[in-house]
Amino acid sequence: MLKNIRIKALQDNYIWILQDRHKKCIIIDPGDAKKVINIIIKKKLVPKIILITHYHKDHIQGIKKLLIQYSNKKIYGPQFINKKYFFVTPCFSFTKLYLLKHIFIVLHTPGHTNHDISYFISPFLFCGDILFSGGCGKVLTGKYKDMFNSISLINFLPNNTKICSGHEYTLKNLLFSKKY
Ligand SMILES: [Zn+2]
């Protein structure tokens, strides 16, 4: 099984690093390169892959620096034409990615934007800004119907699934629920 490391970054973001026993690693939504590089150095990791859930700045702005520091990394992300400064291999729903000898299933989970994707590798789901502890993500450029369908899709995953979100919103979400 891959070891899952959670990094707190920016104001309330989470960056996730999956590490195998040979110290190779996958970085998910690196919004802050410095935080990631510190962990890589501390744990002597070898970054191999970057996964992107959606193209909001706070999830991708560390990529440029990471590519300068560690070349030859492959990047996977949603199919979306954007002015990006890096090449992304587009992922479609239910694509299986074979990464570090593990199978990742890509789920199309739009709603926060029109192009969000999530990555499932049992027991972890990396779902960016779709689902948080205590609430779902904000519908920004996505559609409410899509958000509902995405949450329904996530609901089909096994009960032991660990939701690895893109932000820490637990307290805010619970206070909101209490208020309304
Ligand atoms: Zn976002």
Side-chain angles (χ1 to χ4, degrees):
M1 193 168 127
L2 296 169
K3 190 181 168 190
N4 192 4
I5 304 164
R6 185 180 65 177
I7 305 171
K8 286 183 181 175
L10 306 172
Q11 203 183 339
D12 50 23
N13 277 69
Y14 284 132
I15 301 167
W16 301 87
I17 295 184
L18 287 168
Q19 173 201 329
D20 76 0
R21 58 196 166 96
H22 305 293
K23 301 233 170 222
K24 290 177 188 166
C25 74
I26 297 169
I27 306 157
I28 300 142
D29 282 355
D32 182 342
K34 208 173 162 199
K35 290 272 172 109
V36 174
I37 291 167
N38 286 346
I39 296 287
I40 288 171
I41 292 169
K42 196 174 152 198
K43 295 185 178 286
K44 298 188 173 66
L45 301 178
V46 184
K48 290 285 179 190
I49 295 144
I50 292 176
L51 301 180
I52 300 169
T53 60
H54 64 297
Y55 294 114
H56 281 164
K57 204 175 161 193
D58 58 325
H59 293 252
I60 62 167
Q61 65 189 356
I63 293 176
K64 195 176 179 182
K65 223 177 204 174
L66 287 171
L67 288 178
I68 294 167
Q69 192 95 0
Y70 312 100
S71 52
N72 299 326
K73 274 195 312 299
K74 194 154 188 188
I75 308 174
Y76 295 90
Q79 191 202 21
F80 182 68
I81 308 299
N82 198 356
K83 280 184 203 151
K84 294 186 295 287
Y85 40 77
F86 44 81
F87 179 77
V88 176
T89 303
C91 295
F92 303 93
S93 205
F94 302 113
T95 299
K96 283 181 186 159
L97 300 174
Y98 193 58
L99 310 173
L100 301 187
K101 296 184 179 167
H102 288 75
I103 293 174
F104 289 63
I105 299 169
V106 176
L107 301 174
H108 186 216
T109 49
H112 174 61
T113 70
N114 276 323
H115 57 264
D116 313 78
I117 57 174
S118 301
Y119 302 88
F120 180 64
I121 170 167
S122 183
F124 306 114
L125 178 76
F126 299 94
C127 57
D129 290 358
I130 288 297
L131 183 60
F132 302 99
S133 167
C136 72
K138 274 191 189 133
V139 176
L140 293 178
T141 49
K143 297 181 189 79
Y144 284 94
K145 192 178 135 212
D146 286 342
M147 176 61 87
F148 179 80
N149 289 336
S150 295
I151 300 293
S152 304
L153 178 64
I154 291 172
N155 205 27
F156 274 108
L157 295 174
N159 285 342
N160 69 340
T161 302
K162 294 185 191 317
I163 305 294
C164 303
S165 314
H167 293 267
E168 176 49 61
Y169 287 157
T170 312
L171 193 59
K172 277 185 198 165
N173 283 340
L174 295 183
L175 287 172
F176 180 84
S177 321
K178 211 181 152 193
K179 203 170 162 189
Y180 294 99

